[in-house]
Amino acid sequence: LFFFLDRKKKRMPFLSGLKKTFLTTKPFVIGIKYKIKMKLELKKYTQQIEEWPNEGYHIMAQYDEDKIIVYQSYRKEIGEFAVKNQYFGGAFSLERMTWIKPNFLWMMYRNGWGTKEGQEVVLALHLKREAFETYLKNAVYSSFNQVEGMTREEWQNEVKSSNVRLQWDPDHDPYGTKLERRAIQIGLRNQFIKTFAKEDILLIEDISDFVAHEYENVKNNTLEKLMIPAEKPLIFKDNELNKMLKIAI
């Protein structure tokens, strides 16, 4: 972008009045047009890949003792309702399983950086850490080939009765290339989707503009400029849970 300076008035005339603001721990400036404020902590992608594990089963996420960030994408009708009301309702279905993903780049792979039809509104959900752990403790693997210590019949019976599904898939880089590291997603239904929709979420943020801006760095092959949520591997105090999840410690 090129700007001219009005020397008499000592200002950039067509920039006056640009006050479009959104919500962030530290204001994250997008270009000259937008100052997007989010509660997400951001960090350069190139810095993070130096710190992340290259392989194994890892829950890569932004979290603290009280909460964990998970991501979902929806069509406008559902996404805008959720942001406005700070819970899921309206056109959101409590009868269908909903999937949450704590890994930002894996979400970007699934929704095409917010470009896929019906996934244009990208949400960052600040989820109670306690609720997230409860989901996992009640989870059953969605695929038998990920199960250890039970027969196929036993697994099939558990799948039928379970209200939480667990799945490990290949993680992906910003371009969508498969990695050796595995990423987790969790499916919720019945009573778990009901508590998720209205009780378990502390904050719902629309990060669609941020996603669109950072996608430009991906399309332009300028990953040195790419900013994404700061993430690190999550390891639980409950060693049995770590073992069940195959988390590399």
Side-chain angles (χ1 to χ4, degrees), residues 162-213:
S162 171
N163 294 316
V164 184
R165 300 282 174 81
L166 165 66
Q167 191 167 307
W168 287 103
D169 297 285
D171 204 345
H172 292 76
D173 71 9
Y175 298 118
T177 305
K178 281 186 183 181
L179 304 176
E180 291 297 317
R181 186 177 61 243
R182 292 277 165 164
I184 200 170
Q185 63 172 330
I186 301 133
L188 308 171
R189 67 178 182 179
N190 296 336
Q191 75 263 30
F192 284 96
I193 196 174
K194 291 173 183 175
T195 59
F196 165 78
K198 289 197 173 181
E199 299 172 25
D200 298 343
I201 297 172
L202 300 168
L203 175 69
I204 301 176
E205 292 188 281
D206 182 350
I207 61 169
S208 307
D209 287 336
F210 161 71
V211 167
H213 177 269

Side-chain angles (χ1 to χ4, degrees), residues 212-223:
H213 177 269
E214 294 305 315
Y215 186 38
E216 292 301 310
N217 286 319
V218 177
K219 291 190 291 184
N220 295 331
N221 295 316
T222 52
L223 294 191

Side-chain angles (χ1 to χ4, degrees), residues 6-7 16 39-40 43 49 63 75 100 109 115 118 124 129 150 153 158 174 185-186 193 195 203 207-208:
D6 184 333
R7 296 184 180 278
S16 60
K39 299 267 179 160
L40 289 175
K43 191 173 180 180
I49 57 173
Y63 61 90
R75 66 180 189 271
I100 57 174
Y109 165 72
T115 63
R129 172 84 176 261
M150 69 172 67
E153 185 178 1
E158 287 210 6
Q185 63 172 330
I186 301 133
I193 196 174
T195 59
L203 175 69
I207 61 169
S208 307

Side-chain angles (χ1 to χ4, degrees), residues 224-240:
E224 69 278 4
K225 297 180 181 179
L226 180 63
M227 299 290 289
I228 62 172
E231 295 179 350
K232 59 187 177 183
L234 173 59
I235 299 174
F236 299 101
K237 294 176 183 176
D238 184 341
N239 286 327
E240 286 303 310

Side-chain angles (χ1 to χ4, degrees), residues 57 140-149 155 166-170 182-183 185 244-246:
Y57 294 78
V140 174
Y141 281 99
S142 60
S143 173
F144 180 66
N145 62 17
Q146 296 184 342
V147 173
E148 295 177 2
W155 167 75
L166 165 66
Q167 191 167 307
W168 287 103
D169 297 285
R182 292 277 165 164
Q185 63 172 330
M244 186 275 281
L245 296 170
K246 309 176 189 176

Side-chain angles (χ1 to χ4, degrees), residues 10 15 64 81 91 94 111 148 154 171 219 232:
K10 303 292 184 184
L15 290 181
D64 58 28
F81 180 99
L94 294 174
N111 69 11
E148 295 177 2
E154 289 171 333
D171 204 345
K219 291 190 291 184
K232 59 187 177 183

Side-chain angles (χ1 to χ4, degrees), residues 3 10 19 48 69 77 91 101 113-114 126 143 158 218 245:
F3 307 108
K10 303 292 184 184
K19 295 181 179 178
Q48 296 197 69
I69 310 299
E77 182 184 9
K101 303 165 180 65
W113 288 85
H126 297 241
S143 173
E158 287 210 6
V218 177
L245 296 170

Side-chain angles (χ1 to χ4, degrees), residues 71-76 79 101 106-123 206 208 211:
Y71 302 95
Q72 290 190 311
S73 293
Y74 290 101
R75 66 180 189 271
K76 288 187 68 174
K101 303 165 180 65
W106 204 87
M107 182 74 256
M108 295 305 100
Y109 165 72
R110 293 294 293 172
N111 69 11
W113 288 85
T115 63
K116 290 185 179 179
E117 186 177 356
Q119 300 190 54
E120 299 86 357
V121 179
V122 186
L123 302 179
D206 182 350
S208 307
V211 167

